[in-house]
DNA sequence: CTCTCCCT
């Protein structure tokens, strides 16, 4: 039933509603009338009830009784698949209908919902996925969100979405159930929805506080404290003990100690010690459900808090800690610190021993410690990366995360981190720097495809890249196995045999990813040869979890199905390993690392330091550069599932992320082109340490200029063109003229020449090779195109040359004059260098007159050599100098003295009335 | 020098 049913459907479905009765022993039966009335009157109802109240099984029946489930399904969500199935089974059984008819369930890979189904129990993930296809959830007339207190990411996203949906679906009813008394928050969130409390059907639990290590003379550690607590409970009477610990390592420490003390005879007798954690093999886990005679001590992680109900537990020992998943804002990785559990979690643990009889819970911490703990565990949405949620929300057109009605909205920085990860995966259309942070973004084509894949966005990104590289088969195998729990089992007692069995698939390539592909190929080949039972046995013998192998195959099939709808085809021939790794890298760009020297430590993105976990092929002799499928910080940052990469791959895959920096551009005479050293950084890692690249590819204008400057202006090119020779001559010529006429500004400098070439040579000429190609034509059309023009360079100052004769005409034969202008001695005038041979032929009196252009300088210079006493009489100096220059402009006055000094002396005497003699000057 | 748990 994908659409709202027709009137005929509704009539038919109305006849399907079974008679409903309630087991009277369940506490919820007592509140039946109140619940019926409240649900009938309100769109949203909050139901608070501890485990054992029967709310999960009875609420769907109450809804049926109210006539719900006819016009649309009653949807009932659970956080876990097992719970969805067992609750469906129970409700179906209580209604006397076969599973899959009136009551069905749907979890990933299993759908037992029929056309006549009225109650559909499902995982919350299933309902979230359905939103993609049915925005208004029109298939449902009622939705029950169970176990909302667990506050998983799915639950918070779902509650937010339903909040947004309720005003558009006035006919939709929502029931939110929660085990704890934190119902006020939900009620407030849903506009003051009524809260109905249903009592639990559990026995009293005697909570005892037994802290350790608080007194100075109490030197017990956790193991000792647990041993003491076990002793105390043994004195209380029979019954199994459930111990909550933070992790596998602690479990094995305690197990070793208890087993040793049992065999010593010092500890409790007839006792079986059973570890319990999720990663354990299926067979090992199942031992907690086996019948047994003696006593049991079950040492468990948080799995026993919600996921696995250990039967027959009378006592609980709570060490008070757990590993809590958190998000490192600095390194953008998952952290798993051991933290004190919340009060709600501690109470949930205690409740595990009050299910069949009164129980005792020993807390290995003080009552004051308990009182100081946070009441509730922080919801997952505040502790995790939000990329997947943001991707889904954007695909649903709910882009503005800040205004989405979350029960507890995530921090703006967490949203920014999620967006950053999606940007890393290129899921969004590029936005400009000035786009405000809150602005809604648009998914790129890749992002839209990514949103359709039911896996982590990083893994989805790999699959999409794989299509381009022709390795979709291999990458989908890897993406599938990375999405589920590792199918390889490593039972504690047979560690060596298991490791050896798994080691067969480790290849020469040192790639944990290709190891998975080899394992897959092996399994598929065996599966074809063997019967179902034989294959199941093979899995067991080879230390593989059969159910997870099946899930791996199911997920692969699901991906294959969805990707074929995206026009992605499986490759039929084995892909090149490099291509597989390149595709994988596209999803792991911020999870690469560079080995620090010869150590086993890696420097990762954002300066993180990590090591490769023991199970990896890269652990012993790691490559220089690796990528890791997972980075998790525990006692330190660890990489899990890794392979060697070439950092250049990352450069190619991350054009949107790399930072490039450049050294000084360099003209290379050998190749006749300009290059520059390029350095490429990705998240702070030098994926290209330094390489020469053509400057023209980065900055054509600069490369053009570099070519002109070095090849043509500075002559760093062997090739001689006619214009080069010509220009050399013009420049020498103009330079000497400029010196003669004392116009230093007219001496063409390199910049002037460069400008000339730049205006005449097209921009795309950036190398000698380019130039030759261009000049072959351009030079033929206009051979003088690149010839410098003397007159142009002199800017019309050629006339001034008359005042600066090239030779001294007064002499016979005329003497060439060498204008060697020394700017450092401008005040002192100029030096005329005469060939030594003619020195004694020069008439000294003529010497001062040779260069009219220098007359004023010379007058001033001579004037300055007058004795101070005399100069004082010649004030204002400028006036007397000016008159003398004017008078002597054309050389000696007719009839006047021939010597320059004498002539100047006479002029000054005349203009000032003060006698000045030629001998008063001291020109040396 | 390895790490709680769950889901499409």
């Amino acid at each position: 039933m994908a659409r709202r049913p027709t009137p005929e459907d509704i009539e038919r479905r109305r006849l399907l509603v079974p008679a409903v009765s309630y087991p009277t022993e369940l506490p919820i039966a007592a509140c039946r009338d109140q619940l019926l009335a409240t649900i009938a009157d309100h769109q949203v109802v909050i139901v608070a009830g501890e485990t054992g109240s029967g709310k999960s099984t009875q609420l769907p029946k109450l809804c049926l009784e109210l006539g719900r489930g006819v016009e649309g399904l009653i949807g009932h969500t659970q956080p876990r698949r097992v719970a969805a199935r067992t609750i469906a089974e129970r409700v179906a059984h209580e209604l006397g209908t076969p599973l899959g008819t009136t009551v069905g369930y749907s979890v990933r890979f299993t759908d037992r919902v029929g056309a006549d189904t009225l109650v559909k129990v499902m995982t919350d993930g299933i309902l979230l996925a359905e939103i993609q296809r049915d925005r208004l959830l029109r298939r449902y007339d009622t939705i029950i969100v169970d176990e909302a207190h667990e506050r998983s990411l799915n639950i918070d996203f779902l509650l937010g979405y339903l909040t947004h949906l309720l005003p558009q679906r006035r006919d939709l009813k929502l029931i939110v159930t929660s085990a704890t008394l934190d119902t006020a928050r939900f009620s407030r969130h849903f506009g003051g929805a009524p809260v109905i409390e249903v009592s639990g059907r559990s026995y009293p639990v005697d909570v005892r506080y037994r802290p350790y290590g608080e007194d100075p003379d109490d030197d017990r550690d956790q193991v000792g404290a647990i041993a003491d607590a076990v002793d105390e409970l043994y004195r209380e009477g029979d019954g199994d003990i459930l111990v909550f610990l933070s992790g596998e390592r602690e479990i094995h420490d305690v197990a070793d100690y208890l087993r040793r003390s049992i065999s010593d005879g010092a500890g409790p007798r007839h006792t079986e010690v059973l570890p319990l954690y999720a990663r354990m093999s299926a067979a090992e886990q199942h031992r907690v459900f086996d019948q047994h005679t003696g006593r049991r001590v079950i040492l468990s992680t948080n799995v026993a808090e919600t996921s696995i109900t250990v039967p027959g537990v009378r006592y609980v020992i709570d060490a008070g800690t757990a590993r809590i998943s958190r998000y490192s804002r600095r390194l953008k990785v998952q952290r798993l610190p051991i933290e004190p559990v919340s009060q709600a979690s501690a109470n949930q643990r205690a409740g595990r021993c009050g299910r069949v009889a009164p129980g005792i819970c020993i807390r290995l911490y003080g009552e004051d410690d308990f009182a100081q703990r946070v009441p509730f565990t922080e919801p997952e949405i505040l502790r995790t990366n939000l990329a997947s949620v943001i991707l889904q929300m954007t695909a649903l057109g709910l882009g503005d995360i800040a205004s989405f009605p979350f029960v507890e909205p995530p921090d703006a920085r967490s949203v920014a981190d999620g967006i950053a990860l999606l940007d890393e995966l290129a899921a969004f259309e590029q936005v400009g720097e000035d786009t405000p942070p809150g602005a809604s973004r648009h998914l790129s084509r890749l992002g839209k495809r990514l949103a359709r894949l039911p896996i982590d966005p990083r893994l989805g990104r790999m699959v999409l890249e794989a299509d381009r590289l022709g390795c979709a088969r291999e990458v989908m195998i890897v993406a599938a196995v990375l999405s589920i729990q590792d199918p390889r089992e490593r039972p504690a007692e047979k560690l060596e045999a298991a490791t050896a069995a798994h080691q067969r698939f480790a290849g020469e390539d040192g790639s944990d990813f290709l190891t998975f592909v080899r394992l897959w190929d092996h399994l598929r080949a065996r599966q074809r040869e063997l019967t179902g039972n034989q294959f199941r046995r093979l899995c067991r013998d080879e230390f593989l979890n059969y159910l997870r192998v099946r899930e791996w195959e199911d997920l692969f099939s699901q991906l294959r199905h969805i990707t074929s709808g995206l026009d992605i085809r499986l490759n039929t021939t084995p892909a090149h390993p490099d291509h597989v790794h390149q595709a994988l890298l596209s999803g792991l760009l911020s999870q690469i690392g560079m080995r620090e020297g010869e150590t086993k430590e890696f420097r990762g993105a954002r300066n993180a330091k990590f090591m490769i976990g023991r199970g990896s092929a890269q652990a012993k002799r790691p490559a220089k550069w690796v990528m890791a499928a997972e980075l998790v910080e525990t006692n330190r940052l660890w990489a899990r599932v890794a392979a060697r990469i070439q950092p250049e791959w990352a450069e190619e895959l991350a054009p949107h992320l790399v930072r490039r920096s450049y050294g000084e551009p360099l003209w290379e005479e050998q190749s006749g082109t300009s290059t520059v050293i390029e350095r490429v950084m990705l998240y702070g890692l030098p994926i290209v340490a330094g390489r020469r690249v053509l400057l023209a590819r980065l900055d054509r204008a600069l490369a053009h200029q570099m070519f002109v400057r070095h090849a043509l202006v500075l002559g760093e090119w062997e090739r001689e063109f006619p214009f080069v020779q010509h220009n050399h001559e013009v420049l020498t010529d103009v330079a000497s003229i400029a010196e003669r006429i004392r116009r230093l500004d007219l001496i063409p400098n390199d910049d002037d020449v460069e400008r000339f070439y730049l205006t005449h040579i097209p921009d795309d000429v950036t190398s000698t090779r380019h130039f030759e190609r261009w000049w072959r034509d351009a030079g033929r059309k206009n051979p003088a195109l690149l010839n410098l023009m003397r007159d142009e360079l002199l800017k019309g100052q050629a006339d001034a040359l008359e005042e600066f004769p090239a030779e001294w005409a007064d002499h016979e034969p005329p003497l060439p004059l060498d204008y060697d202008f020394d700017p450092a001695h401008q005040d002192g005038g100029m030096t005329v260098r005469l060939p030594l041979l003619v020195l004694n032929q020069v008439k000294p009196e003529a010497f001062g007159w040779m260069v009219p252009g220098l007359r004023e300088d010379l007058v001033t210079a001579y004037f300055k050599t007058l004795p101070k006493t005399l100069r004082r009489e010649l004030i204002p100096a400028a006036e007397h100098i000016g008159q003398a220059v004017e008078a002597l402009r054309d050389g000696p006055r007719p009839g006047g003295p021939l010597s320059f000094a004498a002539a100047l002396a006479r002029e000054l005497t005349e203009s000032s009335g003060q006698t000045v003699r030629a001998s008063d000057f001291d020109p040396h």
Side-chain angles (χ1 to χ4, degrees):
Chain A
M1 193 180 71
R3 285 272 170 263
R4 232 170 149 58
T6 61
E8 295 79 43
D9 285 335
I10 292 172
E11 275 318 302
R12 189 172 48 82
R13 289 172 68 83
R14 205 181 298 285
L15 298 174
L16 293 168
V17 179
V20 176
S21 67
Y22 304 92
T24 48
E25 70 274 18
L26 281 178
I28 198 169
C31 321
R32 174 177 163 265
D33 293 341
Q34 191 196 357
L35 281 166
L36 286 173
T38 312
I39 295 168
D41 288 351
H42 296 86
Q43 192 177 15
V44 183
V45 177
I46 317 294
V47 177
E50 299 300 325
T51 40
S53 61
K55 60 183 164 49
S56 299
T57 46
Q58 307 310 308
L59 280 171
K61 288 157 61 181
L62 287 164
C63 292
L64 283 175
E65 200 175 344
L66 281 170
R68 316 294 304 177
V70 174
E71 295 188 6
L73 284 163
I74 296 167
H76 183 172
T77 73
Q78 286 295 317
R80 282 165 292 279
R81 292 188 222 166
V82 175
R85 195 194 70 230
T86 54
I87 287 169
E89 283 167 353
R90 281 258 304 284
V91 177
H93 177 75
E94 287 182 20
L95 291 175
T97 58
L99 186 64
T101 59
T102 309
V103 181
Y105 77 98
S106 181
V107 298
R108 193 174 207 173
F109 311 129
T110 307
D111 186 42
R112 299 199 54 191
V113 173
D116 294 340
T117 296
L118 307 183
V119 176
K120 171 176 166 180
V121 190
M122 67 197 124
T123 45
D124 37 32
I126 290 274
L127 186 58
L128 277 177
E130 284 182 5
I131 295 172
Q132 299 279 357
R133 280 168 281 135
D134 180 10
R135 301 288 162 96
L136 296 176
L137 291 173
R138 282 179 299 183
R139 322 168 62 183
Y140 301 96
D141 71 5
T142 307
I143 288 172
I144 303 168
V145 178
D146 206 3
E147 315 280 13
H149 62 276
E150 289 193 18
R151 302 297 301 279
S152 67
L153 193 57
N154 278 352
I155 286 171
D156 273 22
F157 186 13
L158 195 51
L159 290 178
Y161 189 79
L162 291 168
T163 309
H164 157 88
L165 180 64
L166 286 170
Q168 302 168 60
R169 284 282 318 270
R170 302 308 310 189
D171 59 315
L172 181 71
K173 286 207 186 286
L174 172 63
I175 300 171
V176 178
T177 89
S178 172
T180 62
L181 295 175
D182 188 27
T183 49
R185 192 193 301 273
F186 291 128
S187 172
R188 221 179 308 125
H189 178 77
F190 288 104
V195 178
I196 297 180
E197 284 185 28
V198 182
S199 62
R201 190 201 52 174
S202 53
Y203 295 86
V205 174
D206 174 20
V207 176
R208 303 176 184 174
Y209 293 93
R210 300 285 185 263
Y212 62 93
E214 286 185 355
D215 295 331
D217 48 342
D218 178 2
D219 60 351
R220 295 175 305 156
D221 59 2
Q222 180 173 273
V223 178
I226 289 168
D228 288 350
V230 169
D231 280 344
E232 177 178 343
L233 293 171
Y234 266 61
R235 291 193 296 272
E236 292 289 336
D238 285 345
D240 293 348
I241 301 172
L242 175 59
V243 187
F244 283 102
L245 293 156
S246 58
E248 233 177 277
R249 161 179 293 215
E250 291 79 1
I251 287 172
H252 287 296
D253 286 352
V254 175
D256 287 350
Y257 182 88
L258 289 181
R259 283 176 182 144
R260 228 178 306 120
S261 60
I262 290 165
S263 61
D264 284 354
R269 296 181 179 280
H270 313 298
T271 295
E272 188 183 16
V273 177
L274 287 183
L276 180 64
Y277 44 87
R279 213 184 60 86
M280 224 161 60
S281 77
E284 287 175 305
Q285 272 190 19
H286 259 92
R287 288 169 62 189
V288 304
F289 301 111
D290 292 347
Q291 292 293 321
H292 62 289
T293 48
R295 239 188 220 268
R296 262 184 187 167
V297 179
I298 296 125
L299 307 173
S300 176
T301 61
N302 253 352
V303 270
E305 197 178 300
T306 48
S307 306
I308 297 176
T309 298
V310 183
V313 171
R314 294 287 305 280
Y315 309 111
V316 160
I317 299 172
D318 177 14
T321 54
R323 282 200 188 268
I324 309 279
S325 176
R326 296 203 173 267
Y327 184 69
S328 160
R329 186 147 286 142
R330 187 174 74 82
L331 298 179
K332 320 294 181 200
V333 298
Q334 186 192 18
R335 294 174 51 228
L336 275 177
I338 296 174
E339 294 183 8
V341 298
S342 67
Q343 293 177 352
S345 176
N347 291 337
Q348 174 80 8
R349 288 175 171 194
R352 296 310 235 170
C353 65
R355 296 172 60 81
V356 289
I360 299 171
C361 171
I362 292 182
R363 290 181 174 156
L364 302 181
Y365 43 96
E367 192 163 8
D368 49 343
D369 180 340
F370 176 80
Q372 279 168 16
R373 295 184 174 208
V374 292
F376 305 101
T377 310
E378 220 183 330
E380 191 184 6
I381 196 165
L382 305 182
R383 296 185 278 116
T384 196
N385 182 276
L386 300 171
S388 183
V389 168
I390 295 169
L391 177 65
Q392 298 308 324
M393 286 179 60
T394 312
L396 289 169
L398 306 166
D400 187 5
I401 289 113
S403 66
F404 188 75
F406 283 115
V407 176
E408 274 164 87
D411 196 273
R413 287 172 302 172
S414 300
V415 174
D417 282 345
I419 289 172
L421 175 50
L422 292 171
D423 274 334
E424 175 183 328
L425 303 175
F428 288 122
E429 299 278 6
Q430 291 288 329
V431 293
E433 291 283 325
D434 50 347
T435 307
S440 62
R441 287 155 170 263
H442 296 284
L443 292 181
S444 60
R445 177 172 180 271
L446 191 147
K448 286 176 193 158
R449 289 156 69 85
L450 204 55
R452 292 184 55 187
L453 298 178
I455 48 177
D456 180 271
R458 283 190 186 278
L459 303 177
R461 177 71 184 83
M462 298 172 182
V463 171
L464 297 179
E465 188 69 22
D467 180 41
R468 199 178 62 80
L469 291 164
C471 51
R473 189 188 83 94
E474 287 82 356
V475 171
M476 271 159 50
I477 291 168
V478 172
V481 81
L482 292 177
S483 300
I484 60 171
Q485 284 183 295
D486 194 331
R488 295 170 298 188
E489 290 187 332
R490 309 179 71 244
E493 314 89 84
K494 296 174 190 164
L495 251 180
E496 273 181 40
T499 308
H502 300 154
Q503 194 60 33
R504 292 175 299 154
F505 305 102
E508 294 290 300
D509 46 38
S511 166
D512 298 334
F513 301 98
L514 294 181
T515 297
F516 279 128
V517 176
R518 285 182 283 266
L519 173 59
W520 170 274
D521 289 340
H522 163 76
L523 289 172
R524 294 310 288 249
R526 294 293 91 75
Q527 212 166 15
R528 276 193 293 273
E529 304 161 355
L530 303 174
T531 64
N533 273 338
Q534 287 172 324
F535 181 68
R536 200 185 296 247
R537 210 171 307 123
L538 173 106
C539 286
R540 198 191 54 208
D541 294 345
E542 299 191 344
F543 301 97
L544 300 166
N545 184 313
Y546 173 75
L547 289 176
R548 290 184 202 145
V549 168
R550 284 292 306 274
E551 204 164 294
W552 188 6
E553 293 173 338
D554 286 340
L555 184 47
F556 178 85
S557 305
Q558 190 190 14
L559 287 178
R560 198 180 51 183
H561 179 245
I562 294 170
T563 52
S564 78
L566 298 173
D567 276 332
I568 295 176
R569 298 277 165 258
L570 281 195
N571 46 312
T572 47
T573 54
H576 191 284
D578 282 358
H579 290 158
V580 176
H581 288 123
Q582 284 163 19
L584 297 172
L585 179 57
S586 71
L588 302 173
L589 288 167
S590 58
Q591 297 186 172
I592 62 172
M594 181 184 75
R595 188 143 75 107
E596 301 268 30
E598 290 305 303
T599 66
K600 287 191 173 179
E601 197 171 47
F602 284 78
R603 187 150 62 91
R606 306 172 178 100
N607 214 19
K609 301 266 186 288
F610 68 80
M611 279 184 50
I612 295 178
R614 208 196 302 137
S616 169
Q618 289 291 324
K620 286 222 175 77
R621 279 186 304 279
K624 184 72 193 160
W625 285 87
V626 298
M627 62 179 162
E630 271 179 33
L631 282 177
V632 180
E633 186 185 313
T634 52
N635 58 344
R636 57 174 305 158
L637 190 57
W638 291 100
R640 202 183 75 84
V641 186
R644 189 180 70 85
I645 57 163
Q646 292 177 29
E648 295 81 9
W649 296 344
E651 184 194 5
E652 197 176 322
L653 290 163
H656 55 306
L657 302 173
V658 296
R659 300 256 161 83
R660 296 169 192 276
S661 59
Y662 299 96
E664 282 296 305
L666 190 75
W667 169 255
E668 291 192 1
E669 203 171 339
Q670 279 284 315
S671 56
T673 185
S674 298
T675 61
V676 61
I677 297 287
E678 183 181 46
R679 193 172 152 81
V680 186
M681 306 286 281
L682 178 60
Y683 295 116
L685 288 173
I687 56 174
V688 176
R691 75 169 157 220
R692 234 165 236 302
V693 294
L694 279 182
L695 179 61
R697 275 176 36 204
L698 308 165
D699 188 340
R700 202 178 62 170
L702 183 58
H704 177 54
Q705 194 194 340
M706 289 278 291
F707 161 76
V708 165
R709 181 97 189 172
H710 289 274
L712 302 181
V713 178
L714 300 177
E716 296 170 21
W717 187 9
E718 281 185 358
R719 178 90 193 259
E720 286 278 321
F721 290 92
F723 72 85
V724 174
Q725 185 56 38
H726 171 268
N727 288 350
H728 181 71
E729 284 163 12
V730 169
L731 289 170
T732 321
D733 200 16
V734 170
S736 77
I737 291 170
E739 285 191 346
R740 258 160 57 194
I741 65 177
R742 311 209 72 212
R743 284 290 304 276
L744 287 190
D745 60 305
L746 290 180
I747 298 178
N749 61 25
D750 289 348
D751 292 346
D752 300 325
V753 182
E754 182 180 306
R755 240 185 323 274
F756 168 78
Y757 284 126
L758 287 173
T759 55
H760 289 89
I761 301 172
D763 291 347
D764 56 357
V765 174
T766 56
S767 70
T768 54
R769 211 164 40 81
H770 285 108
F771 181 82
E772 279 170 341
R773 195 187 311 142
W774 168 73
W775 187 237
R776 208 183 303 136
D777 285 347
R780 196 177 300 132
K781 279 182 206 142
N782 180 4
L785 179 66
L786 296 181
N787 287 355
L788 285 164
M789 311 292 274
R790 199 188 85 136
D791 290 350
E792 226 166 85
L793 290 169
L794 287 171
K795 297 176 184 145
Q797 295 299 305
D799 292 350
L801 275 178
E802 288 174 13
E803 299 204 346
F804 297 85
E807 49 192 23
W808 192 6
D810 259 9
H811 195 267
E812 193 56 46
L815 282 174
L817 287 178
D818 185 5
Y819 290 80
D820 184 21
F821 191 83
D822 182 356
H825 296 97
Q826 276 198 40
D827 283 353
M830 63 167 286
T831 316
V832 175
R833 274 196 309 237
L834 298 170
L836 193 61
L837 273 177
V838 301
L839 189 60
N840 53 2
Q841 304 171 26
V842 173
K843 287 177 273 181
E845 66 272 17
F847 202 78
W849 304 106
M850 12 187 215
V851 185
L854 291 178
R855 195 87 76 229
E856 183 173 351
D857 287 357
L858 202 60
V859 169
T860 309
Y862 268 73
F863 187 89
K864 282 186 182 169
T865 67
L866 289 172
K868 256 196 192 102
T869 46
L870 196 51
R871 266 192 349 231
R872 219 172 287 133
E873 307 297 328
L874 299 173
I875 289 174
E879 204 173 283
H880 298 295
I881 289 171
Q883 285 188 23
V885 169
E886 193 55 40
L888 301 175
R889 174 161 302 287
D890 296 326
R893 288 191 189 214
L898 281 180
S899 137
F900 179 74
L904 179 57
R906 205 186 87 173
E907 293 303 326
L908 291 175
T909 304
E910 253 179 35
S911 73
S912 67
Q914 177 69 38
T915 305
V916 179
R917 292 183 184 83
S919 57
D920 289 332
F921 297 113
D922 182 16
H924 303 292

